[in-house]
Amino acid sequence: MSYRVQVRVMPRGGLLDPQGQAVEHALSALGFPDASAVRVGRAIELEVAAESRREAEARVRQMCDKLLANPVTEDYLLEVGES
Amino acid sequence: MSYRVQVRVMPRGGLLDPQGQAVEHALSALGFPDASAVRVGRAIELEVAAESRREAEARVRQMCDKLLANPVTEDYLLEVGES
């Protein structure tokens, strides 16, 4: 069976996010001073062949730990759907 | 009132996604041949001051159209939550 997994990889809470700050300044300059606390990360979508939703999630966690996220500076969140 | 908005900006369906292809190859080389159709985009989180959820969503759509997404090559999805 095939599962569609959405991953969000974000800079960890306490850490500085220079890209987010740059976007926040640009938004303010473009007339959006109502935006704050902007953080920028990566969104990754993939299909995973697995026997169950649980196995698909476990596989994608391994992928995040090995390649998709930096465990020192980033956190990730998964959403597993059917494809 | 303040709303927490999550934005996913992804390469548009029909377009080539070289970053997604590179990640797919890397995953395969690391022992994850079960991953396919990998696509890589940006995840953006921000707080928006607005009178209502509807107004917050409309503001963030404007931000996406003006700065956060490239309307020619990317699509975006929003999720508005309370913060």
Side-chain angles (χ1 to χ4, degrees):
Chain A
M1 182 139 184
S2 183
Y3 294 86
R4 188 87 195 142
V5 185
Q6 312 264 2
V7 185
R8 288 178 88 87
V9 180
M10 299 302 292
R12 191 158 278 180
L15 296 178
L16 212 60
D17 174 14
Q19 203 183 346
Q21 290 181 322
V23 170
E24 191 168 327
H25 290 145
L27 284 172
S28 182
L30 284 170
F32 300 104
D34 44 343
S36 62
V38 181
R39 296 184 79 77
V40 178
R42 292 188 302 290
I44 303 158
E45 282 181 16
L46 66 164
E47 305 261 342
V48 186
E51 295 296 312
S52 65
R53 175 180 291 258
R54 198 188 171 118
E55 187 197 319
E57 183 176 332
R59 280 302 270 177
V60 178
R61 285 196 181 279
Q62 292 175 355
M63 295 176 201
C64 287
D65 293 334
K66 282 207 180 164
L67 180 74
L68 303 178
N70 179 336
V72 178
T73 59
E74 295 173 323
D75 287 317
Y76 58 84
L77 275 172
L78 307 185
E79 275 174 49
V80 183
E82 304 200 352
S83 68
Chain B
M1 182 139 184
S2 182
Y3 293 86
R4 188 89 196 143
V5 185
Q6 312 264 0
V7 185
R8 289 178 87 86
V9 180
M10 300 301 293
R12 193 157 277 179
L15 296 179
L16 214 58
D17 174 15
Q19 203 183 347
Q21 291 181 323
V23 169
E24 190 168 327
H25 290 145
L27 283 171
S28 182
L30 284 169
F32 299 104
D34 43 345
S36 62
V38 180
R39 296 184 81 77
V40 178
R42 292 187 304 289
I44 302 158
E45 281 181 17
L46 66 164
E47 304 263 342
V48 186
E51 295 296 311
S52 65
R53 175 182 291 260
R54 198 187 170 119
E55 186 197 320
E57 183 176 333
R59 281 300 271 177
V60 179
R61 285 196 182 280
Q62 290 175 357
M63 296 177 201
C64 286
D65 293 335
K66 281 208 180 163
L67 179 75
L68 302 178
N70 179 337
V72 178
T73 60
E74 295 173 324
D75 286 319
Y76 59 85
L77 274 172
L78 306 186
E79 276 172 48
V80 183
E82 304 199 355
S83 68

